[in-house]
Amino acid sequence: MRFLRHATIAALLALPGTASAATAPTMPANPTAGHDDWWKQAVVYEIYPRSFADSNNDGIGDVPGITAHLDYLAALGVDAIWMTPMFPSPQADFGYDVADYDGVDPVYGTIADVDRLIATGKPRGVKLILDFVINHTSDQHPWFLASRSSRADPKRGWYIWRDAKAGGGAPNNWTSYFGGPAWKWDAKTRQYYYHIFYAEQPDVNWRNPAVQHAMYDAAEWWLKRGVYGYRLDAVDTMVERLDLKDNPPADGVDPYGQPNQKDVNKSNQPEEHVLLQGLRKMTDRYPGRVLIGETYPPDVADLVRHYGPTNNEIQLPMYLSLIGKEPLRASDLRTRIEAVETNPVGGWPCFALGNHDNPRVPSRLPLPEGAAASGATPDDMAKLTAALLLTVRGTPVLYYGEELGMVNTDPTRREDVQDRIGRTGWPREKGRDGERTPMQWNASVNAGFNTGAKPWLPVAADAATRNVASQMADPTSVLSFYRTLIAARRTNPALAGDYTTVAAANPQVLAYQRNAGGRTILVLLNFDGHAADVPLVTAAATRLGRTIIASRATATGSTVHLEPLGVFVAEVER
């Protein structure tokens, strides 16, 4: 709590409309905050605006609700908010079906509210990054309405229209990621249009120079207003194979019961990179702006192509391949991290373990066998993964509530599902409602999300005890754990330095050092279900110094003992 001794709980849990530009955060400043590459030492925090804070008590979170909690975010040590889409939208996919890139949906507020968010964040060192839905628009976007109006309309070529194949039917066998075919018949103009997601989300034709110009302009519009960059949604689906060749089959079925395909022809096309270089060239005209990619690379070679051949595409393609249901294992993590560290273009690492499309970490990652018997809990998994994200070299992207160890609240009945993919795929696919429930601020009505209106999704059952107010007062909480490590990132030069694997032969413990400024930090993370002892000599250290944080770990003489899911982070001498 020492970093908050000059701030009151009331200030940090401010009700909507109470944030003041005069209130200063007490977290140490990001030492690179004024640099163009500030994002290298930043902590990025994803906010799902529907679920963060409801300022007008209508049951849906909004932009003013985010502004009202900027003091909390600054005190946590957040350097940038990535806000998922708040643009005008019919909400077929909760904002990822954009009807106007240059506006704000009334359910979230106004353009002036976004301007106020930017201005209020500035003295607190909290920048705003928007979500750029780059692959598709809403079918209610004026571009698509014009494109759909006539085959002769000038915007017809802004989307992907094709005749039925010989004998009738869709142009090819491509399926939608949200179930069913990826083609929708338009009776008026008697052609199909392509949609890799919902039919209400037609794919734009990035091969058309007019589309490129319009999309770059849409991105620049917000940069001029002070936005610091974009998270690029579904970036690998921007371009499809020109001849629309059928995809080959793959084993099994998808969550909607349709046969799987190898998506080699509807994603990851080489033209994508020319387009990303064009977007990067535009954003580079605005110093300090950054592009973050929604990327799930199967290997580092795939990650590297998103950086670009000369680091001229996406500065921060996220290494989202760590998001999965499989247990995290020290040996696998060691291999993956080292591969990112040695990527041939020198791209800066960017890691995330959760987001709005995947179950939350404590709900998704099972405790390793034997861990529960030792007393380990999902909170210990939350602390272990926090230590990984916040001490490895690179930019961490946190999901709101991750710092509390929030868990999924999944619907148990189809009629309660809000996310359409859950209704379509039930019961095999239950949708993404569980990871999108309201932020848990305190033990008051609706966990402080609003003042009493029914939230759009139910508040988690554990909100009365798992919330910001209660964890702020508990030095052993997940929130206190996050704050301690984020503060260390800002004050200890070693956590901005090199990454070196140590104790590489240990099958249980991921061990590494961070080195810079004449200081060395040793990080030991036990991903195993059994206790482990790590002699300092195997960790390339001679003597322990100050312990930064320890959880389920003790140091005795020349050995560190870690219980299952144990964490030990300390300065050492080599």
Side-chain angles (χ1 to χ4, degrees):
M1 296 296 293
R2 58 183 172 174
F3 298 109
L4 286 179
R5 59 175 175 264
H6 300 303
T8 66
I9 294 294
L12 295 173
L13 305 182
L15 292 174
T18 63
S20 165
T23 305
T26 54
M27 177 66 66
N30 180 344
T32 63
H35 302 178
D36 286 351
D37 61 353
W38 61 271
W39 39 269
K40 286 187 174 181
Q41 300 305 324
V43 171
V44 179
Y45 187 95
E46 179 191 355
I47 289 178
Y48 199 70
R50 295 181 73 87
S51 300
F52 195 65
D54 173 15
S55 72
N56 60 359
N57 200 39
D58 65 354
I60 298 174
D62 45 47
V63 174
I66 299 171
T67 304
H69 289 87
L70 281 174
D71 286 331
Y72 165 74
L73 295 171
L76 176 61
V78 169
D79 300 286
I81 296 165
W82 150 31
M83 180 167 61
T84 62
M86 79 302 168
F87 309 108
S89 167
Q91 303 296 322
D93 191 21
F94 296 118
Y96 282 93
D97 48 321
V98 177
D100 178 6
Y101 287 101
D102 298 345
V104 176
D105 195 294
V107 74
Y108 299 128
T110 65
I111 293 173
D113 288 329
V114 176
D115 289 342
R116 193 173 301 111
L117 174 60
I118 294 169
T120 308
K122 189 172 182 179
R124 291 162 172 79
V126 181
K127 298 174 173 64
L128 178 62
I129 293 170
L130 296 184
D131 207 316
F132 191 23
V133 186
I134 203 166
N135 172 73
H136 52 267
T137 69
S138 166
D139 64 350
Q140 299 304 304
H141 195 292
W143 299 346
F144 188 72
L145 293 176
S147 180
R148 197 175 199 172
S149 66
S150 166
R151 289 197 187 197
D153 189 272
K155 286 190 169 58
R156 185 68 170 186
W158 284 41
Y159 295 83
I160 301 164
W161 292 92
R162 292 293 187 274
D163 291 330
K165 65 182 178 182
N172 62 26
N173 72 340
W174 296 356
T175 54
S176 165
Y177 288 151
F178 286 169
W183 295 93
K184 174 75 172 179
W185 176 253
D186 180 66
K188 180 179 178 181
T189 59
R190 301 195 61 77
Q191 277 190 318
Y192 285 91
Y193 69 84
Y194 174 63
H195 59 92
I196 199 170
F197 297 103
Y198 291 135
E200 294 90 342
Q201 296 169 296
D203 281 46
V204 296
N205 179 16
W206 271 96
R207 296 180 187 276
N208 187 326
V211 169
Q212 298 168 26
H213 181 77
M215 293 295 272
Y216 293 160
D217 277 356
E220 189 169 17
W221 194 87
W222 286 102
L223 296 180
K224 291 176 179 177
R225 300 192 81 88
V227 164
Y228 259 77
Y230 290 99
R231 176 265 193 182
L232 306 179
D233 178 64
V235 65
D236 283 334
T237 63
M238 288 173 66
V239 186
E240 306 75 29
R241 180 167 165 151
L242 186 59
D243 64 3
L244 304 182
K245 184 179 179 179
D246 278 2
N247 277 325
D251 294 337
V253 296
D254 69 13
Y256 311 98
Q258 57 194 10
N260 278 327
Q261 298 179 352
K262 297 178 181 177
D263 293 327
V264 294
N265 295 321
K266 67 180 183 183
S267 62
N268 296 307
Q269 300 301 301
E271 295 92 336
E272 166 193 326
H273 301 286
V274 176
L275 300 170
L276 289 174
Q277 289 165 24
L279 180 61
R280 172 69 179 275
K281 185 176 181 180
M282 183 276 289
T283 58
D284 278 350
R285 298 204 299 266
Y286 297 82
R289 272 46 176 187
V290 65
L291 299 176
I292 304 173
E294 183 192 17
T295 45
Y296 289 84
D299 51 42
V300 170
D302 187 77
L303 180 71
V304 165
R305 68 183 182 84
H306 291 92
Y307 289 115
T310 60
N311 260 304
N312 59 341
E313 294 183 27
I314 303 173
Q315 292 104 316
L316 295 176
M318 287 187 279
Y319 194 70
L320 295 176
S321 299
L322 296 182
I323 296 180
K325 295 181 180 179
E326 300 78 16
L328 296 177
R329 303 188 188 281
S331 57
D332 179 56
L333 286 169
R334 186 179 296 119
T335 299
R336 293 185 183 212
I337 292 169
E338 287 179 352
V340 175
E341 277 289 313
T342 57
N343 75 82
V345 298
W348 186 255
C350 180
F351 296 99
L353 284 170
N355 59 29
H356 61 283
D357 287 330
N358 292 278
R360 290 183 174 275
V361 168
S363 299
R364 187 180 76 245
L365 294 178
L367 297 183
E369 185 177 352
S374 75
T377 69
D379 274 4
D380 295 313
M381 178 64 76
K383 291 178 180 179
L384 180 69
T385 53
L388 174 65
L389 284 176
L390 295 172
T391 63
V392 75
R393 193 177 76 100
T395 301
V397 181
L398 312 180
Y399 184 45
Y400 81 93
E402 200 164 274
E403 75 276 19
L404 305 177
M406 277 179 63
V407 298
N408 265 49
T409 301
D410 296 316
T412 57
R413 306 183 308 167
R414 185 180 184 277
E415 54 264 39
D416 295 331
V417 178
Q418 297 291 318
D419 185 18
R420 202 164 105 194
I421 65 172
R423 296 197 301 271
T424 302
W426 191 275
R428 182 186 285 113
E429 168 61 65
K430 296 185 178 181
R432 300 162 292 182
D433 292 355
E435 53 264 28
R436 298 175 176 182
T437 55
M439 178 66 171
Q440 296 162 206
W441 294 104
N442 54 48
S444 69
V445 62
N446 292 335
F449 171 69
N450 62 16
T451 57
K454 182 181 179 180
W456 78 286
L457 286 174
V459 174
D462 67 354
T465 54
R466 184 182 301 281
N467 58 65
V468 172
S470 65
Q471 292 203 19
M472 194 78 74
D474 179 3
T476 68
S477 68
V478 177
L479 177 58
S480 293
F481 194 91
Y482 267 86
R483 287 176 28 75
T484 298
L485 283 176
I486 293 173
R489 284 174 59 92
R490 292 185 167 195
T491 57
N492 196 309
L495 286 175
D498 296 335
Y499 171 97
T500 305
T501 294
V502 294
N506 192 312
Q508 296 172 263
V509 177
L510 177 65
Y512 50 91
Q513 291 182 357
R514 302 295 309 281
N515 311 285
R519 297 165 79 172
T520 298
I521 286 178
L522 173 66
V523 179
L524 303 175
L525 307 175
N526 185 7
F527 285 91
D528 197 70
H530 300 88
D533 291 304
V534 180
L536 288 183
V537 65
T538 67
T542 59
R543 189 171 70 88
L544 288 173
R546 183 177 69 91
T547 298
I548 294 170
I549 201 161
S551 174
R552 296 176 58 81
T554 54
T556 54
S558 60
T559 300
V560 178
H561 177 78
L562 297 108
E563 289 295 312
L565 307 187
V567 173
F568 187 78
V569 182
E571 291 189 346
V572 297
E573 292 182 5
R574 293 191 290 175

